[in-house]
Amino acid sequence: MRHLNTLSVLVAASIATAAGAGNILVSEDFETGTGGWQLQGHEMLFPGGNPGNYLGIPLIDSFGITFGTSDASSPLIGDLTGYAGLEISFDMRTFQFRNFAGEPIDPASRPLVLQFIDRGDPDDFLDDVSVYIVGQHIPYEKDGWSRITFSVPTTTGDLLPAGWGGTGDEDPDTFEPILPSNRTFESVMANVDEVMISTFVPGFFYGFAFWEVGVDNLLVREIPAPGAAAVLGIAGVGMLRRRRA
């Protein structure tokens, strides 16, 4: 009985490892550099992060905020379809988000959008296409540093995953952005030129506001295929049944 208990514990630990662990592709704490990531097109580091330094901007007036990379050395640039899936997470803090009267704007009005962009011909912006998903909104000022997480499938055949949209063309009836008819989610993920997290939902327009935000502790990891955890789970159930018997 003691032997089976030990095995059960080991199996449970293996299931947790398979379900929660994955190859770490990017781990950037912004202590000494940015690893090619930019906030609002800049690579400015400030003290007062979570902890240490953070990637930030001083108070600016802008339509919105962009955070991302197009660095060719990044593992998120190029063909991403070889990954089982991705998880992108980071800490974000809203120091100020105000209108022209200096009054706070509700952060719930600015959801964050994760976008994978295929620029195509770099000299022709009209052939740019992307796939995107809308996530949680930017944090409230009172929230301090808050963790933001996106989960990303990388291969889905010809279909857009649930909750995802595309750009590069326009629906003739609704005028909403859509993927061109000759492109798929997978074809975009196989040719990523830029990864961008922003407050710009495609198809929407925004007015100027005053922003001061920061980003820290960026982590990108591969999500392992569910098969390994499932096999371990079956083994674990078998051992539990043997114990009950």
Side-chain angles (χ1 to χ4, degrees):
M1 185 68 70
R2 186 174 302 167
H3 178 62
L4 290 177
N5 277 340
T6 302
L7 287 176
S8 298
V9 169
L10 291 174
V11 169
S14 298
I15 294 171
T17 300
N23 294 328
I24 295 177
L25 306 179
V26 178
S27 180
E28 180 59 68
D29 60 10
F30 303 113
E31 289 306 295
T32 59
T34 70
W37 287 76
Q38 298 182 335
L39 181 62
Q40 211 69 357
H42 300 287
E43 300 181 10
M44 294 185 287
L45 301 180
F46 296 85
N50 193 33
N53 292 331
Y54 69 91
L55 176 63
I57 52 171
L59 185 64
I60 61 168
D61 59 322
S62 175
F63 291 113
I65 298 298
T66 61
F67 165 58
T69 186
S70 58
D71 189 323
S73 66
S74 171
L76 293 183
I77 302 301
D79 185 357
L80 304 186
T81 60
Y83 300 121
L86 299 172
E87 182 182 87
I88 300 175
S89 60
F90 55 93
D91 295 335
M92 186 174 192
R93 182 170 181 178
T94 304
F95 295 96
Q96 296 188 71
F97 180 37
R98 307 296 173 92
N99 62 22
F100 277 87
E103 302 163 331
I105 301 174
D106 187 354
S109 66
R110 297 297 191 276
L112 291 166
V113 180
L114 171 63
Q115 197 167 12
F116 294 87
I117 305 169
D118 179 356
R119 295 294 184 190
D121 182 347
D123 296 322
D124 180 12
F125 73 91
L126 294 177
D127 70 349
D128 292 2
V129 298
S130 75
V131 291
Y132 69 92
I133 187 168
V134 180
Q136 66 197 84
H137 59 73
I138 64 173
Y140 285 90
E141 293 180 24
K142 64 179 177 59
D143 292 338
W145 289 102
S146 303
R147 195 70 178 167
I148 309 292
T149 301
F150 289 94
S151 295
V152 184
T154 56
T155 55
T156 61
D158 294 336
L159 301 177
L160 279 169
W164 287 74
T167 71
D169 203 351
E170 186 177 78
D171 187 294
D173 298 319
T174 66
F175 306 108
E176 295 178 352
I178 58 174
L179 274 177
S181 59
N182 65 336
R183 299 302 302 271
T184 64
F185 179 86
E186 193 164 330
S187 77
V188 176
M189 297 301 286
N191 296 276
V192 175
D193 293 310
E194 182 177 358
V195 178
M196 183 169 68
I197 299 163
S198 76
T199 57
F200 296 107
V201 178
F204 285 75
F205 297 92
Y206 299 91
F208 273 103
F210 288 92
W211 306 74
E212 183 182 1
V213 299
V215 174
D216 205 353
N217 301 316
L218 171 68
L219 181 67
V220 181
R221 68 180 183 92
E222 182 178 12
I223 301 173
V231 170
L232 286 170
I234 293 171
V237 170
M239 287 187 178
L240 290 175
R241 284 177 177 169
R242 285 177 58 195
R243 180 186 175 189
R244 291 192 185 104

